[in-house]
Amino acid sequence: MHGEKKVVLANGVFDILHPGHIDLLRFARSLGDWLVVAINSDRSVREAKGPDRPFHNENDRRAALLDLGIVDEVVIFDELTTQQVLRKINPDSIVKGGEWSIEEVRRIDQVPDSIEIILCPLTMKSSGVKHSTTEI
């Protein structure tokens, strides 16, 4: 805990906001007092997703998330993993989409055991396909 506040971290590209993103952010918000979203920088998005991404620059993505009214803080990180962000913010928990496993998240981002990893259940379109910016 950070004083009296429980800090929750969510991370990702958040390029084209869709219902899956909103569900994840609402879920994350319900778990704590302060929701921080770490978004990949434009450079790291290009490295991870290819030269045609992101569709929206990091400042516009940051502003859109803050405008939702459920996110308390947005930080931009330039690395491909959240290791450094986790060290700086030291959240009580991190929320990831249900396409991940807790073991994958802990291993890939080297999440310390002191940080709880919580998976958000995936939400699906009426067609049964998961919401995804890549699919859009």
Side-chain angles (χ1 to χ4, degrees):
M1 290 264 209
H2 295 76
E4 295 297 314
K5 293 189 180 207
K6 183 173 182 183
V7 176
V8 178
L9 176 75
N11 73 283
V13 176
F14 295 96
D15 198 4
I16 297 176
L17 288 177
H18 55 67
H21 287 134
I22 304 303
D23 288 347
L24 180 128
L25 294 170
R26 283 188 179 137
F27 178 77
R29 173 87 240 172
S30 75
L31 299 172
D33 304 302
W34 192 258
L35 176 57
V36 179
V37 177
I39 62 170
N40 294 80
S41 69
D42 292 345
R43 189 209 61 78
S44 70
V45 173
R46 281 190 295 278
E47 188 174 334
K49 305 272 186 186
D52 295 334
R53 296 280 304 276
F55 299 116
H56 300 285
N57 72 53
E58 60 198 36
N59 293 320
D60 289 346
R61 290 183 284 128
R62 180 179 187 278
L65 287 165
L66 289 170
D67 283 347
L68 293 174
I70 56 175
V71 175
D72 296 298
E73 186 176 342
V74 177
V75 296
I76 300 168
F77 67 101
D78 200 41
E79 301 77 32
L80 291 178
T81 70
T82 59
Q83 284 177 275
Q84 290 183 25
V85 169
L86 288 172
R87 276 192 226 120
K88 287 179 188 171
I89 296 171
N90 191 28
D92 297 289
S93 56
I94 183 171
V95 173
K96 296 291 282 186
E99 70 271 20
W100 295 91
S101 74
I102 290 173
E103 295 77 22
E104 281 178 309
V105 175
R106 197 162 303 279
R107 178 179 43 78
I108 291 168
D109 289 334
Q110 296 183 2
V111 179
D113 290 339
S114 61
I115 299 174
E116 179 182 26
I117 299 170
I118 302 168
L119 300 180
C120 177
L122 288 179
T123 57
M124 302 290 181
K125 297 178 186 180
S126 57
S127 65
V129 175
K130 78 178 183 87
H131 293 283
S132 160
T133 300
T134 301
E135 293 301 315
I136 294 171

